[in-house]
Amino acid sequence: MSRAGTIEIFEVGPRDGLQNEAKVLPVETRIALIRDLAAAGLRTVEAGSFVSPRNLPQMAQTADVLAGLSSFGGSISRSTHSAEAGSKVDLEIDPPIHLPVLVPNARGFADALAAKAKYIAVFAAASESFSRRNINRSIEESLDEYRPIVAEARAKGLKVRGYVSCVLGCPYEGQVAVSAVVSVATALAAMGCEEISLGDTIGVGTPDAARAMTAAVASEIGIQRTAVHFHDTYGQALANVLACLDLGVTVVDSSVAGLGGCPYAPGASGNLATEDLVYLLDGLGVETGVDLDKVAAAGRAVCAALGSAPRSRTGQALAAKVK
Ligand code: HMG
Ligand code: MG
């Protein structure tokens, strides 16, 4: 299989990124970030989670974030939350952007429906210990809980994604068998998840392992339904993406400014940075529709709000140029 000419970047910064930041951002700043990312050309931006606010206060008020973005799908007003990003022009967004939200259980699904979410993601793991710590369920219990949720969501016309965590290693169990990843991914696909995102939650994978694991899943569910989600703990995320692009993967997850980690995975640092991914894909001549300078500006703005420095190497290089 050869590399696709166009890749969809699935932006997870407002969810996977912000959920792991010590500072809890106000709703308006979360909305401004999503608007900036949309204005940069990202067409799928994970907007938050309907999980316990006691566990993850960073994701509380996701309903308010969606409400604040309800004009999406038509014309949006460009963010003015930073002098650099704020141009006060109206931008026509066509096609409309997708705003997926994470749902861990029936309560989260009901809340997502009440908030008029049109795209949900359920999240399971290939490791029992991680599943317990993350969602207080065994793998089997989580799949049993998701089955009716996914069925109802699809029946209502929602889009549904399924995540598998710990696909290349677990913070509690170490090695994870490829067969365990394939088993959870195929179960999620069989219950109706349209796309399965394979998460290297703690960023321990290297390219040959990433390619072999992704190929094993894709041979069961198809490469078009297989997305990759790398954290960059050991600096391998871009190399892993490249290895998987050669399989024909067409959806790659990343997080603006390299924000993120996982609150249930000690030592896991940020996600693959969107700026670094766009720079790589631009260099390879792969179409993404994303404007590198604009996404880097969005990264600088959210980092200013968080009081942290962008972790993206490309973001840092571009920031030096605009000084
Ligand atoms: P639990 O304690 O088993 O739930 O938590 P419970 O049903 O026993 O309820 C306990 C309390 O939580 C109750 O409140 C419920 O109402 C409340 P109380 O009566 O004690 O006041 N509750 C909720 N509140 C709001 N929204 C809900 C909800 N459900 C119950 N949906 C639960 C189970 C899943 C809720 C909890 O463990 C949780 O919130 N975990 C957070 C999981 C999470 O968000 N993890 C990070 C995302 S996964 C990830 O980052 C990996 C990924 O990026 C891919 C990769 O990198 O690998 C996707
Ligand atoms: Mg993640």
Side-chain angles (χ1 to χ4, degrees):
M1 189 90 194
S2 58
R3 257 180 229 162
T6 303
I7 293 291
E8 178 196 339
I9 299 182
F10 189 109
E11 170 63 46
V12 296
R15 193 278 306 172
D16 206 359
L18 296 186
Q19 77 180 12
N20 204 45
E21 295 295 325
K23 185 166 178 185
V24 178
L25 292 186
V27 167
E28 314 81 69
T29 312
R30 289 163 66 188
I31 291 172
L33 170 63
I34 294 169
R35 286 177 180 266
D36 282 351
L37 292 167
L42 288 149
R43 286 291 161 268
T44 307
V45 182
E46 212 162 56
S49 312
F50 287 93
V51 298
S52 161
R54 232 185 299 191
N55 291 38
L56 281 185
Q58 298 91 333
M59 293 292 102
Q61 293 184 281
T62 288
D64 296 336
V65 172
L66 287 187
L69 293 165
S70 58
S71 61
F72 265 48
S75 161
I76 64 157
S77 186
R78 176 79 178 272
S79 156
T80 55
H81 80 292
S82 79
E84 195 185 331
S87 59
K88 286 190 178 150
V89 291
D90 280 346
L91 298 174
E92 289 299 321
I93 299 294
D94 182 29
I97 76 157
H98 296 295
L99 299 168
V101 289
L102 259 58
V103 160
N105 53 18
R107 155 86 190 272
F109 180 46
D111 290 351
L113 286 178
K116 300 193 169 56
K118 297 191 174 56
Y119 193 160
I120 62 162
V122 295
F123 49 107
S127 137
E128 283 295 349
S129 311
F130 184 83
S131 183
R132 282 259 170 234
R133 303 253 188 155
N134 194 31
I135 50 175
N136 197 22
R137 303 279 184 278
S138 70
I139 297 171
E140 208 49 54
E141 284 167 351
S142 72
L143 295 174
D144 288 345
E145 190 146 11
Y146 292 147
R147 223 164 263 116
I149 293 173
V150 173
E152 189 182 337
R154 293 295 304 276
K156 286 182 152 66
L158 275 69
K159 281 176 74 66
V160 184
R161 167 181 250 222
Y163 279 101
V164 186
S165 285
C166 299
V167 296
L168 292 166
C170 167
Y172 311 107
E173 295 180 13
Q175 281 208 326
V176 171
V178 169
S179 58
V181 180
V182 171
S183 156
V184 177
T186 51
L188 289 168
M191 71 176 76
C193 296
E194 294 153 282
E195 178 175 287
I196 307 299
S197 177
L198 302 172
D200 182 11
T201 318
I202 51 171
V204 289
T206 47
D208 286 355
R211 188 194 294 108
M213 178 279 301
T214 304
V217 171
S219 72
E220 296 294 326
I221 67 167
I223 197 73
Q224 293 300 326
R225 292 175 78 183
T226 307
V228 290
H229 177 112
F230 294 112
H231 287 252
D232 205 25
T233 317
Y234 289 88
Q236 302 298 299
L238 271 186
N240 292 341
V241 166
L242 194 54
C244 294
L245 288 184
D246 289 336
L247 293 172
V249 159
T250 59
V251 183
V252 180
D253 299 1
S254 64
S255 172
V256 65
L259 299 177
C262 180
Y264 300 91
S269 62
N271 290 68
L272 167 62
T274 306
E275 297 91 319
D276 296 353
L277 177 62
V278 173
Y279 186 84
L280 170 79
L281 295 173
D282 282 354
L284 294 174
V286 174
E287 196 64 46
T288 63
V290 178
D291 182 307
L292 180 57
D293 288 322
K294 286 183 182 169
V295 79
R300 289 192 291 275
V302 69
C303 285
L306 288 165
S308 62
R311 278 160 239 158
S312 158
R313 301 288 287 271
T314 299
Q316 289 166 8
L318 293 174
K321 278 196 194 173
V322 297
K323 270 184 188 154

